[in-house]
Amino acid sequence: MTGSVVLVHLAGAVALMLYATRLVKTGVERAYGDVLRHKLRATLQNPIMAVLAGTGLAIALQSSTAVTLLVGSFAGAGIVSGLAGQLAVRGAEIGSALVAKLLTYDLTLLVPLCLIVGTFLFMATESRDWRQKGRILVGIGLLILSLEMIGHASEPLRESELMPIIINYFSSDPITAYLLAALITWLFQSSIAAVLLMATMAGRGLITPELGVVLVLGVNLGSSIIAPMLTRNSEPGVRIVPVGNLLMRGMGSIVMLALVMIFRPQIDFLGATASDQIVNAHILFNVIILIAGLPLAGLIYRASEKIVALGGKPDPETPMQVMELSALSESALSSPPQALANATREVVRVCETVEIMLKRIIELYESADEDKINALAALDDRVDERHAAIKIYLAKLIRNPLTEDQALRCQELIGACVKLEQVGDIIVRNMLVHVRKKMAQNLEFTPEGWREITAFHGAVLANARLAFNVLVSRDTDTARQLVQEKDRLRDMEREASNSHFLRLRDGTLKSIETSSIHLDTLRDLKQINSLLTSIVYPVLEERGLLRGSRLRAS
């Protein structure tokens, strides 16, 4: 087998590993994202629990970067302190390293089992939760399979005359090897994938354990760079946690590299095989960073704040920042296709604003103040202004001769705008009132009640995104899925209400105190979902798939 063919096979195996990692991460986020976020918020106040929560979440998401971004967003919103966020990220790095360790065991039997069960779950049901479970299992199966493929693809390299020369060069130049590993990790966007690749190659005798330790340190540098790069245009508060992780983990890897180069320690104690030694070195490094990070957390946080302040964004109140451009060009009214495209662009902007409102309102239920409440109310004013502008624009367009399809599209956009404005009104006039009441009376939901509300909210938010997509794509399958989800949410709301009444019957104090807020919130979210679902009705009616308010049988 030629060298180019070997590299193609190896590249394909690595690509499958990256895809499988992403598949598992996406499935977990969609199936359990809201529950995990709620658990994380609730436990980050305690330093030890923050570390454990970060560890658990990284294992679930198979990505320490995802946890860093999530915790950074919480810190930016004021939900958790930046100090607690730093500790959660320390735990996330250990969780990520433990995932790499688990995947080095012989799990070949799980490949067919995960693929069979996962594919069955994904294809045999329309339930979103079960389909995501199937996605997770398929991703795990493909991930294990990719590791086998990497091993087989790299086998011919053991006979290569060039390979020992390359290994000897990097062994004699650890700084270059360290930087190369950091670059590979940044390109992979995953420390787990990078460590597994190196462990697999070490297991085949292609990398010495000593070189593997240097590469692992480079992996940790590259991994710590990913989150700061992804958040470089975010608000300052969001960037503090990723920058702090870069300071602690990135600088820690540099210090450790210097110590390894100076003392050249024996690493036999890390494991019996080269593969074990590399993965265990990765775990040990992150444990050391955690232990060192506990007393240094305050110092790192203050340093992160200063670094973020030095590279801060311009004042968001400057004219350049608040200036908004409108897609509603008057000159395009003489061309109905162009005018409808402009109106669609503007409606999409309204969709984006409504999505932001829908995401923020649930955060206010947990942590609210007057500034955040006023900011959300201001978004509703923006929705009202854009809604009025779109109606006037389309009213002018109707004066021109339009085809039947153009006239129907015009009415569809107007209808969508009306419903989006109504959603904004429900959020501000109803749900914000609940927030104020909860804040004024210092009320707390029961853990079970809060889980029901966040799960229901998560489903409505997911449906909102589907509705916004259909508004642009006019995809029939997605529209059908959304209408079917409406029935599922009706059952979900009934079950949540019944559970709440059972807690009332048992005399649970928190349920009694928050009863009206709990039930009214579920009702408001159900009404929002109905409005958003009705946005896609014109697509189904156009294709004869809707009879009254029910789907026709396919």
Side-chain angles (χ1 to χ4, degrees), residues 347-361 376 379-380 383 386 416-417 419-425 427 461 464 468 528 532:
V347 173
V348 168
R349 294 178 67 185
V350 177
C351 291
E352 292 172 349
T353 304
V354 169
E355 181 178 348
I356 292 171
M357 294 176 66
L358 194 53
K359 287 174 64 176
R360 287 185 181 175
I361 186 62
L376 186 62
L379 289 178
D380 185 51
V383 170
R386 287 178 176 169
C417 261
K419 294 177 179 68
L420 290 170
E421 184 188 35
Q422 291 173 339
V423 170
D425 289 342
I427 293 173
L461 183 59
F468 300 156
I528 288 172
L532 294 172

Side-chain angles (χ1 to χ4, degrees), residues 98-137:
L98 292 176
V99 171
K101 177 65 177 179
L102 177 64
L103 292 172
T104 59
Y105 293 111
D106 184 6
L107 304 173
T108 51
L109 182 61
L110 289 179
V111 174
L113 293 177
C114 287
L115 293 178
I116 292 170
V117 176
T119 301
F120 174 78
L121 291 178
F122 190 83
M123 300 185 66
T125 177
E126 293 298 321
S127 169
R128 177 181 297 170
D129 289 344
W130 283 106
R131 285 172 69 90
Q132 298 312 319
K133 290 180 176 68
R135 184 191 299 272
I136 294 168
L137 288 175

Side-chain angles (χ1 to χ4, degrees), residues 495-542:
E495 291 173 3
S497 297
N498 290 339
S499 297
H500 177 73
F501 284 124
L502 287 175
R503 290 192 294 274
L504 289 180
R505 186 191 65 183
D506 294 339
T508 305
L509 181 59
K510 287 185 177 180
S511 293
I512 296 172
E513 293 175 339
T514 61
S515 181
S516 62
I517 298 177
H518 185 106
L519 296 175
D520 288 347
T521 297
L522 291 176
R523 181 203 62 201
D524 292 335
L525 288 171
K526 180 182 175 183
Q527 187 177 356
I528 288 172
N529 187 74
S530 297
L531 287 167
L532 294 172
T533 302
S534 64
I535 289 177
V536 309
Y537 285 170
V539 175
L540 296 171
E541 290 173 350
E542 184 179 310

